[in-house]
Amino acid sequence: MKPKRKRRDGLLRQAQIMEIALKLFAEKGYHGTSIDDIIASANIVKGTFYLHFESKYHLLDTIIDSNLSLMFESIKLLDISMPKPIEEIKQFYIDTARMLMQNEKLRLFVKVFFRDALSLEQKLADKVNYFFQQITSIISAYIAKAQQDGRVKPHLDALVLSYSIIGSVKEVLYHWAVLEENLDIDSTITTLLDTYLSGMLQNA
Amino acid sequence: MKPKRKRRDGLLRQAQIMEIALKLFAEKGYHGTSIDDIIASANIVKGTFYLHFESKYHLLDTIIDSNLSLMFESIKLLDISMPKPIEEIKQFYIDTARMLMQNEKLRLFVKVFFRDALSLEQKLADKVNYFFQQITSIISAYIAKAQQDGRVKPHLDALVLSYSIIGSVKEVLYHWAVLEENLDIDSTITTLLDTYLSGMLQNA
Amino acid sequence: MKPKRKRRDGLLRQAQIMEIALKLFAEKGYHGTSIDDIIASANIVKGTFYLHFESKYHLLDTIIDSNLSLMFESIKLLDISMPKPIEEIKQFYIDTARMLMQNEKLRLFVKVFFRDALSLEQKLADKVNYFFQQITSIISAYIAKAQQDGRVKPHLDALVLSYSIIGSVKEVLYHWAVLEENLDIDSTITTLLDTYLSGMLQNA
Amino acid sequence: MKPKRKRRDGLLRQAQIMEIALKLFAEKGYHGTSIDDIIASANIVKGTFYLHFESKYHLLDTIIDSNLSLMFESIKLLDISMPKPIEEIKQFYIDTARMLMQNEKLRLFVKVFFRDALSLEQKLADKVNYFFQQITSIISAYIAKAQQDGRVKPHLDALVLSYSIIGSVKEVLYHWAVLEENLDIDSTITTLLDTYLSGMLQNA
DNA sequence: CATGAATGAGAATTCATTCAT
DNA sequence: AATGAATGAATTCTCATTCAT
């Protein structure tokens, strides 16, 4: 039996494994996906997998790391203190959301994220929590500044508000990525923006 | 050596196992907790466990079922259409929240819920999703009715609004149950209520 | 397929596994013997093995622990300071050696011991070294005392002498247990005893 | 990216690999050292290793072969039938021992030798055993001849005596190479020589 | 000579579940 | 009701060796 050696650049193979694993994790969950499943899908053998990733856990870790920055940038866009006309902001949100929601890999990642990121080792949960903590810091800093500028109602708790905003976005993402609902981006963003803006702003 | 047989009422034993399992699931996650861990904590042997629960999965299923109704009732309280003065509603929310947050078992359950409920078998995820779908239906029905009554802004998407509200509450619960933050109940509820009410209501 | 369950007392099964493993370790070495080999010989399945031993390493550890005390007692017999006529001592040595050399399990253990005990984890090597250190202490203390009593030549280094004696015995054991030579117990013990006695003793 | 090709003389590279492997084997044992460890230390890649050695086993085999002759010569020095004044012999032993004990590579080899030589494949064990068998033959021939010449007590078993001497030396080497004890060469050799000489010699 | 991606046969270990007692 | 020894399929991970480039 001649072994077929499909040689290719190491990074390509690594990316290929990550993509296939992401698909499987999204479909059957992290625990429900075995290394055997992954290598069968990727058409490689055990050793090749462990050549590129030191463990199943590190594979997920790498996937999460490589996707988290994109999510980070995306969520940062929710800058409510942006000094622009509301209609312009709204359009910007809508355009960004449309762009992101066409990214199938992102959808899979969000799905895996919601399903498995918290149920694994503490280290991973810590990483995820740190990520959201950063987002929270940014948003609550925006709000606090807007409160000092007299634009946002002063009696609202900036931290709770940022939890609320983040929770709202998470929930919408969950319906999009996990439940695969067809959300109307326009009305979703309009509703969220209008509610939060007129709920938070001083003169609204 | 005569084996020691600790006979006791079957339901008692069952409740005891559930309580211990909940504690362990909250601590180490469902996948991170083995039957061996549970029976060691409960001071029983393998056979006894399977006398009371047909599988590890059914144990969690039972735990979830028995806690979901309480959560259901609690979340239903977010009835924004409640025909009462806002201050009264707010006080009611605060009182309810205080009561619930003293329930340590509930905190553990919420923790397990957030960590594991979605990463398990489809059957369980379906149950959880159905639960939230019900909550969503109730809330969006409230909102739709309030829109018909002219109390809530008509251009807002009732479904998106209910996602947002549920997401906000989930997020707060997550910070309470999983991250074990000390939340100020007063300012939390005040902020959420004020924001949503003045964000949604016609004349606000 | 009805699984055949060969129920028996847990300790019996444990002893059975240890005996079979010792045989295999002696035959093929620790690294050369897989868990599969052991369970096939013992006619049990994987799970049963791990029910009784937490790992392959712990199995060897248990085997070593349970045999070391016998070896300890045996080697202690080399008490050169024994206040008895030489002929009597010699006969005692011969009788003891005969007895031990009929113990087939001991032979297997000595074989495993020489082959594998030092090539494994540090922990095990430490244990073995500690064992010999104890023997060394005992023997060199005997010698030092005999030197104070003027029976052993004072210029000899008691520690080196104990190394020498232990090394001699180890070597003979190696030829017996590993190389499976047929040693003449009488002439072996006579030669060693006579050489060491007339080599060490003052008036010899 | 052009791969960097560090060409050098084949034998040099081979010697370099052997030296690094010896160090690693001494430190972590043969089984505890992987090819990956070796090539990482040697700063080469897999293919290069197999260019120089056909297998991990052959690497050790080569290391053993290249060191065994030195050990062979060294141990042959224990020629008790040497027709010289004892003091001269003793001084010769001491000088030789001093010289050998300064050879760090030899110490590493002896360590590997004691730890792993016996726990490996039969082929290697056979080689080691053959080596000692040769030493044994030489020593017991010396003794037998000295017995015929009337210099060594005739009732001692020449074979057992040679086992004893070899065992003594092995044990001392073990304490030096593996346990890294600081042995006093003078008193070690004096004690061994005096004991064996006055133990074996007719008129002593 | 040199590279390093790929191989794949093993090996160890886990753990939910069963069932004879 | 209770026991706890036994099961065995599933899973992760290792590592010496090969070979196309």
Side-chain angles (χ1 to χ4, degrees), chain C residues 27-29 31 114-116 118-120 122 125 128-129 132 136 153 155-168 170-172 174-175 178-179 181 183-184 187-192 194-196 198-200 204, chain D residues 27-29 31 114-116 118-120 122 125 128-129 132 136 153 155-168 170-172 174-175 178-179 181 183-184 187-192 194-196 198-200 204:
Chain C
E27 195 184 317
K28 315 195 286 179
H31 283 112
F114 276 115
R115 277 238 304 233
D116 289 307
L118 295 170
S119 73
L120 296 168
Q122 198 50 43
V128 168
N129 287 329
F132 279 115
T136 305
K153 293 170 187 160
H155 73 286
L156 299 176
D157 184 314
L159 192 63
V160 171
L161 262 182
S162 62
Y163 290 171
S164 173
I165 291 167
I166 288 169
S168 298
K170 273 188 186 175
E171 189 71 13
V172 168
Y174 181 78
H175 284 266
V178 181
L179 303 181
E181 290 177 14
L183 294 168
D184 181 89
S187 76
T188 301
I189 287 174
T190 299
T191 296
L192 290 181
D194 283 3
T195 306
Y196 276 111
S198 71
M200 290 159 61
Chain D
E27 196 184 318
K28 315 195 285 180
H31 280 114
F114 276 115
R115 277 235 308 229
D116 289 307
L118 296 169
S119 71
L120 298 168
Q122 199 49 44
V128 168
N129 287 328
F132 279 115
T136 305
K153 292 170 188 160
H155 73 285
L156 299 176
D157 184 315
L159 193 62
V160 171
L161 261 182
S162 62
Y163 290 171
S164 172
I165 291 167
I166 288 169
S168 297
K170 272 189 186 174
E171 188 71 11
V172 168
Y174 182 77
H175 284 265
V178 180
L179 303 181
E181 289 177 15
L183 294 169
D184 182 90
S187 75
T188 301
I189 288 176
T190 299
T191 296
L192 289 182
D194 284 3
T195 306
Y196 275 113
S198 70
M200 291 159 62

Side-chain angles (χ1 to χ4, degrees), chain A residues 118-132:
Chain A
L118 296 170
S119 73
L120 296 168
E121 295 185 39
Q122 198 49 43
K123 235 174 161 179
L124 218 51
D126 287 349
K127 187 176 277 185
V128 169
N129 287 329
Y130 177 68
F131 165 76
F132 279 116

Side-chain angles (χ1 to χ4, degrees), chain D residues 67 70 97-109 176:
Chain D
N67 280 276
L70 181 56
R98 270 198 223 292
M99 193 194 68
L100 293 172
M101 287 167 88
Q102 268 153 12
N103 186 343
E104 174 61 7
K105 236 152 71 176
L106 183 64
R107 202 184 64 72
L108 292 177
F109 174 67
W176 165 63

Side-chain angles (χ1 to χ4, degrees), chain C residues 5 7 33-36 46-47 50 54-56:
Chain C
R5 280 160 193 261
R7 236 197 143 96
T33 305
S34 69
I35 303 279
D36 274 327
K46 284 265 171 69
Y50 283 94
E54 73 178 89
S55 73
K56 188 184 168 188

